[in-house]
Amino acid sequence: MSARYDELKGLKNLGQKYAYSDREVMLYAYGIGLGADPMDEKELAFVNEGTLTPRPLKVVPTFASVAAWGAGPGEMNLNRVMVVDGERDITFHQPLPVAASITADSSVVEVYDKGKDKGVVIAHQTVLKNEKGEKLATLVASRFARGDGGFGGPSLTQPDPHEIPSRSPDTTIDITTRPDQALVYRLCGDRNPLHSDPEFAKKAGFPRPILHGMCTYGITCRGVLQTYADYDASAFRQHVARFSSPVYPGETVTMDLWKDGNTISFEAKVDARGVTVIKNGKTVLG
């Protein structure tokens, strides 16, 4: 067995401590575009706790992706310039509280070495737990390190992605992003200058800063919330998506959705550029 494979596969970091408040919950919701219409009571429930008529603040399910921002299994020593997000898969064990002290247990699930000059895919998971030790959410992330393959790992095949139905979408919606959306979303934790610094973005090969992939991921959660979940965050059991192309802040994201029982399939695109930005999406409601 490859020593490099064993090194990566053995990475583990348990008991990482984090805390968040309603401020972070509301900031995330606003960062993915909820509250754009300040008179929409259903969306306000995620960004405003109410005053004259108090109401419980709701937590967007995919807030789990930033609740323990920075948690991970350890240093992977990858060529970071060549690393891109591949997929996110969050399983929700119970609704996230509005404020909490939590722990994060992170470990590498599997390493898929595609070969020399083909890169490696590393899947790692983070389990979020409350103060009682109960699971809140399990996050599985796949990162594609394009410059780090060919170290002799085992010949493994990645699981097949969720298959989108062949019929026409049951629902199609447009979600408009704001020109400044990446500047807001970065305050949730991801300060990568690719999303905020025009000069840096150009050096990376983009004409201007791009929206965070995880912001687009949150937008797809918002899309399911407003269509098939009736803004009930507690209905979410799983939310999965594969990243295929970036969104530029200010663009309109078009979501195609298919409903089969409790399973919602989805893809997202930017029609103005003719690109698909999210593939093989799946939400399980319950």
Side-chain angles (χ1 to χ4, degrees), residues 54-68:
R55 60 166 174 258
L57 186 67
K58 293 184 178 182
V59 183
V60 179
T62 49
F63 171 73
S65 64
V66 299

Side-chain angles (χ1 to χ4, degrees), residues 4 75-86 88 120-122 124 142-148 192 194:
R4 178 64 170 142
E75 178 55 57
M76 297 183 184
N77 296 310
L78 303 171
N79 180 351
R80 294 185 179 182
V81 176
M82 301 290 284
V83 176
V84 295
D85 265 328
R88 283 298 189 282
V120 59
V121 175
I122 303 168
H124 58 92
S142 294
R143 62 177 68 179
F144 179 32
R146 294 170 292 168
D148 290 275
N192 186 336
L194 179 60

Side-chain angles (χ1 to χ4, degrees), residues 30 33-45 47-48 55:
Y30 182 65
L34 287 166
D37 178 356
M39 297 300 290
D40 186 329
E41 291 288 338
K42 290 185 176 181
E43 293 199 359
L44 276 176
V47 294
N48 181 279
R55 60 166 174 258

Side-chain angles (χ1 to χ4, degrees), residues 235-281:
F236 280 67
R237 298 292 177 267
Q238 186 183 25
H239 191 70
V240 187
R242 284 193 168 196
F243 306 107
S244 57
S245 188
V247 174
Y248 290 98
E251 291 185 322
T252 296
V253 175
T254 298
M255 278 187 73
D256 292 329
L257 303 102
W258 295 260
K259 186 179 189 301
D260 294 286
N262 289 336
T263 298
I264 311 301
S265 303
F266 62 87
E267 290 196 333
K269 56 192 175 182
V270 175
D271 284 332
R273 287 188 290 118
V275 297
T276 298
V277 296
I278 294 290
K279 293 182 176 180
N280 306 108

Side-chain angles (χ1 to χ4, degrees), residues 172-185:
T172 296
I173 59 171
D174 289 331
I175 298 177
T176 302
T177 64
R178 300 186 308 273
D180 66 343
Q181 194 145 345
L183 298 178
V184 175
Y185 186 84

